[in-house]
Amino acid sequence: MFSAEDIREDFPVLEHIIYLDNAATALSPRQVVEAQSDAEYHYRANVGRGVHRLGRMATHKFEESRETLLRFFGGEAGTLAFTRNTTESTNIIARGLDWKPTDRIIVPLQEHHSNILPWFRLESEGRIAGVDVIGGTDGHIRAEDIEAAITKDTRMVAVGHASNVFGTIAPVKEIAGICREHDILLLVDGAQTAPHLPVNLADLGCDYFCFSGHKMMGPMGIGGLWIKDGAPTPAPAYAGGGMVGIVSGHTFSTAAGAGKFEAGTPNVIGAVGLAEAARYLTRLGMENVAAHSSALAHRMIDGLLEIEGVNVTTPSDTPLVGAVSFTVDGVHPHEVAYFLDEAAAIMVRSGEHCCQPLMQKIAPAGGGTVRASVYCYNTEDDVDLLVATVEEIAHMVK
Ligand code: PMP
């Protein structure tokens, strides 16, 4: 098991603050920043074009980064396209698949906007018959609820691997089994699990997996879309340089593999940084990261549950990816977040967490929740200080 204390020096800003907003964006260690500056200084060149040595080196590093990520996610039996983020990845699937007007898509209520609005948009454009929103507000996605919602027209299930509000983990493998049985596509939004859980795509059984680099210590503006071999391939969202095979007259064929989704100059430096992040996490061990995040989240819940006037939204009976949502009676979530920063330099997220359909049910008065989320460099002291400061806030309004 790694020690959070030992790795904190890789994240210089932690000298000054307590960072508990990891579900929004994680910090990048020095190693990731240095891998990017090394690329900037020594092999900043375009990829897949031209033959000079700098271009060849950049192309090699870009493709090597793709291989590193495929190995990190156990996704060798698939194609990994670099995208900007999870949102772009879900949209590539939504815009690019060959939908029929009778198709239906099942989506849990608790999904992030990135995994719900692309499907709502297909529905409002009439490209599919409808979106079936399932599940409740307790943070748990149940495979049997998904199975019960399946009809002969269901074409896809789109599910978050872990909730960015509750921190709970969905039974994706079980859902994948159900989807296979019914010949339905499965898209997994892995934005919250790629940073925290050992993900083995060969074992998980989904058709599409979407993730963001910035939540797993990588740079911003780089993420991925993984497509299982044999799954329907979406039409590329963009046409232009880099994604093309042969142009003949006014038509063209697309490049083979991931390249068809990477029109224009890709984020080569970002890909190199993201691969370095995957190597960093591999050194820590994803099993260890998962255990550390869950243990700290449970310590936080235990502490918060002791405080009168604090309502913990995250269930306490299940492993968590490190995110805990709560509210304080009589204090707006933004005020809680401001106070935590002003009084103790603790950074947390407050608001609707890009989950308005869920928030309209669990926080109908508006304001959403406070969310504190840990990562591998957080310690028990960080959690204890959060709990103590929330207690101060709760006492102030009593
Ligand atoms: N899905 C989930 C579950 C998320 O937590 C997030 C980010 N909060 C996203 C999708 C969107 O990620 P990005 O903004 O990097 O596209």
Side-chain angles (χ1 to χ4, degrees):
M1 186 69 169
F2 65 90
S3 147
E5 289 295 351
D6 290 349
I7 63 171
R8 282 171 76 86
E9 64 186 26
D10 295 336
F11 305 86
V13 76
L14 293 178
E15 276 175 35
H16 312 292
I17 58 156
I18 313 277
Y19 192 70
L20 294 177
D21 193 18
N22 293 285
T25 290
L27 302 176
S28 258
R30 286 181 199 280
Q31 291 83 341
V32 168
V33 176
E34 281 161 14
Q36 291 175 80
S37 55
D38 181 61
E40 288 283 5
Y41 286 133
H42 298 114
Y43 55 94
R44 182 188 163 93
N46 220 312
V47 291
R49 304 145 162 86
V51 295
H52 62 70
R53 82 178 76 148
L54 221 56
R56 289 202 313 265
M57 177 141 174
T59 302
H60 170 72
K61 292 285 191 182
F62 186 58
E63 293 308 325
E64 186 185 63
S65 300
R66 197 190 308 278
E67 294 304 317
T68 300
L69 285 152
L70 279 167
R71 274 196 307 277
F72 180 73
F73 289 121
E76 288 90 342
T79 300
L80 176 68
F82 285 115
T83 62
R84 283 184 299 148
N85 45 44
T86 305
T87 306
E88 184 170 42
S89 300
T90 53
N91 276 276
I92 288 173
I93 297 298
R95 304 314 285 170
L97 284 190
D98 189 13
W99 302 103
K100 292 198 293 294
T102 50
D103 285 341
R104 303 195 68 84
I105 298 174
I106 295 175
V107 180
L109 173 73
Q110 68 181 38
E111 292 307 298
H112 188 281
H113 290 160
S114 297
N115 187 34
I116 201 162
L117 301 188
W119 321 118
F120 282 170
R121 187 155 77 156
L122 288 178
E123 180 185 67
S124 55
E125 290 170 348
R127 289 185 58 196
I128 59 169
V131 176
D132 297 307
V133 178
I134 59 113
T137 56
D138 63 357
H140 290 297
I141 293 175
R142 292 172 183 82
E144 57 269 27
D145 290 349
I146 289 179
E147 185 153 37
I150 291 173
T151 69
K152 65 173 184 19
D153 291 322
T154 306
R155 175 91 185 279
M156 177 184 273
V157 171
V159 69
H161 199 177
S163 159
N164 63 307
V165 172
F166 299 107
T168 43
I169 300 161
V172 167
K173 211 174 150 180
E174 205 183 325
I175 296 167
I178 292 168
C179 288
R180 251 195 322 276
E181 241 171 68
H182 294 267
D183 200 16
I184 292 168
L185 296 169
L186 175 62
L187 177 140
V188 171
D189 169 350
Q192 292 296 337
T193 49
H196 290 281
L197 296 188
V199 171
N200 183 348
L201 291 169
D203 187 46
L204 206 59
C206 60
D207 295 285
Y208 309 107
F209 185 81
C210 309
F211 64 97
S212 297
H214 67 96
K215 292 187 198 280
M216 50 182 288
M217 301 187 177
M220 292 187 174
I222 187 86
L225 167 63
W226 178 83
I227 302 175
K228 186 167 83 179
D229 285 347
T233 306
Y238 305 107
M243 57 74 70
V244 65
I246 304 287
V247 182
S248 46
H250 289 204
T251 63
F252 59 90
S253 62
T254 54
K260 68 165 83 55
F261 303 109
E262 295 170 349
T265 301
N267 184 354
V268 180
I269 309 283
V272 167
L274 178 52
E276 192 59 36
R279 280 191 282 272
Y280 189 97
L281 286 166
T282 302
R283 284 195 296 277
L284 299 184
M286 288 309 288
E287 298 281 353
N288 299 331
V289 172
H292 180 81
S293 302
S294 193
L296 285 188
H298 280 282
R299 184 182 181 91
M300 195 186 300
I301 292 177
D302 291 347
L304 292 172
L305 284 173
E306 295 289 310
I307 308 170
E308 211 186 313
V310 170
N311 317 293
V312 179
T313 324
T314 291
S316 58
D317 57 351
T318 185
L320 298 165
V321 291
V324 175
S325 268
F326 61 94
T327 55
V328 181
D329 286 345
V331 193
H332 192 285
H334 287 328
E335 283 174 346
V336 176
Y338 264 121
F339 188 89
L340 287 168
D341 182 1
E342 291 301 315
I346 298 174
M347 315 291 135
V348 298
R349 172 82 189 270
S350 50
E352 294 175 323
H353 314 295
C354 299
C355 289
Q356 285 184 31
L358 172 70
M359 288 299 156
Q360 284 155 7
K361 298 258 194 254
I362 67 171
T369 67
V370 184
R371 181 189 66 196
S373 52
V374 299
Y375 207 7
C376 44
Y377 36 71
N378 289 117
T379 61
E380 293 186 346
D381 285 351
D382 293 347
V383 169
D384 294 348
L385 185 62
L386 172 97
V387 171
T389 316
V390 171
E391 189 165 17
E392 249 181 79
I393 298 170
H395 283 166
M396 279 184 328
V397 291
K398 261 221 314 229

